Amino acid sequence: MSRFLASRLASLEAYVPGEQPQDQPYIKLNTNESPFPPSPGVIKAISQTETSRLNLYSDPESKRLVEALAAHYGVGADNVFVSNGSDDILNFCFWGFCQDGAVFPEISYGFYEVFANLHGVPFEKLPMNPDFSIDPLAYHNAGRAVVLANPNAQTGLALSLSAIEGIVRSNPAHVVVVDEAYVDFGGESAVELTKRYDNLIVAMTFSKSRSLAGARLGFAIGPAELIADLKKLQYSTNPYNLNRLTQLAGIAALEDQDYYDKASQRIQATRHRVRQALLQLGFTCTDSRSNFVLASSPRIAGGVLYQKLKERGILVRHFSDPRIENYVRITIGTDAQMDALLEAVRALLP
Ligand SMILES: *Cc1c(COP(=O)(O)O)cnc(C)c1O
């Protein structure tokens, strides 16, 4: 740290993303990326013609992309906000809507805590049941903003739409942010509720189910007034938040929805198969609705399993949080990748 950094930032602990090692090829099952490339339409859209226009700024409103998203999700264009990854949206929500503080589950997306600290938002992490399920009633009348990933990060467990609605309805004086990064792998989306409640923001991303993690494209759906607030924060930080190529990629991805639906079905089928295999090997494994599972074996510690798999060229994610330190989070890849994982796990178990 230099002597110039503002003192209020001195103690800030930054988010630590999953490893992206360049030293050797790995079977990468650690950052919940899609194992499938973007659809053919996306690859075509990022054309030489568009590349030759990179001397010009992109459309700060991302008008065509916003209209395509509005049509896709059945909302108005003024109900859609697009951003440089959905992390940007979460950042803005903590910055703009958490004046009275925030609550989120004790195990969830690690970035929530980082954003809360960045913006000086007091927060409380609410305990979960021993099986990692969340009691929705714990979020009723919270007296501050509520931030929930649904399906939840790290566990993959999902709350029902009626549970989400109960939380939104009981917190009329505060914003409820539902982070649906994984919704396309078997969750229930709360987008319809945004038409009836003025305090609900749904954040989504093209990074997981739409194979565009490297393009950085997130979006939020919500009531027009909340969306206008997000735009105000965007225009106060980075008006050209989406580059030209990403805007085109997003539009093309929406036109190829069939491709992504099939990819998501494949991932869900593979997830089912991998979970069954892990259960048979004596693992505890969450009943995930996302593109990963959280698994733990009484025969090998989470940190050891992570390290030994890495030595065999397979990357999974291990968290040092004591409640899940004996687990590893395994992204669902292709069938061939998961066969390699299961074979390695079988060989490693003592
Ligand atoms: C991956 C992820 C995000 C971030 O997505 P980007 O659009 O890549 O910034 C947000 N929330 C959760 C829960 C995620 O897992």
Side-chain angles (χ1 to χ4, degrees), residues 84-119:
N84 195 270
S86 64
D87 288 337
D88 243 12
I89 295 166
L90 300 168
N91 183 28
F92 288 168
C93 288
F94 275 93
W95 190 17
F97 302 135
C98 295
Q99 207 164 213
D100 296 331
V103 287
F104 40 87
E106 59 179 347
I107 297 166
S108 192
Y109 189 33
F111 229 141
Y112 301 156
E113 192 164 341
V114 177
F115 286 137
N117 285 326
L118 177 63
H119 299 295

Side-chain angles (χ1 to χ4, degrees), residues 283-319:
F283 275 78
T284 304
C285 185
T286 54
D287 187 12
S288 168
R289 304 289 139 134
S290 55
N291 66 339
F292 59 85
V293 292
L294 187 69
S296 161
S297 165
R299 288 154 70 186
I300 187 164
V304 177
L305 181 57
Y306 155 81
Q307 193 54 46
K308 296 213 156 161
L309 285 171
K310 187 172 177 181
E311 283 160 19
R312 289 172 177 247
I314 300 175
L315 275 185
V316 297
R317 190 93 190 256
H318 177 249
F319 297 91

Side-chain angles (χ1 to χ4, degrees), residues 15 31-33 83-90 108-112 115 148-154 179-182 203-208 212-214 216-219 291-292 329:
Y15 178 71
T31 49
N32 297 345
E33 292 143 321
S83 67
N84 195 270
S86 64
D87 288 337
D88 243 12
I89 295 166
L90 300 168
S108 192
Y109 189 33
F111 229 141
Y112 301 156
F115 286 137
L148 289 168
N150 193 40
N152 195 17
Q154 321 329 351
D179 178 351
E180 295 190 351
Y182 299 109
M204 292 196 248
T205 178
F206 280 64
S207 292
K208 314 275 160 65
L212 282 175
R216 313 305 303 126
L217 178 53
F219 60 103
N291 66 339
F292 59 85
R329 191 194 68 189

Side-chain angles (χ1 to χ4, degrees), residues 156-172:
L157 301 183
L159 286 171
S160 70
L161 191 54
S162 62
I164 294 288
E165 180 164 13
I167 294 168
V168 176
R169 199 194 302 121
S170 76
N171 287 287

Side-chain angles (χ1 to χ4, degrees), residues 126-144:
L126 300 189
M128 307 160 97
N129 298 319
D131 63 356
F132 302 129
S133 61
I134 288 173
D135 175 10
L137 291 178
Y139 295 84
H140 281 215
N141 310 305
R144 48 214 151 149

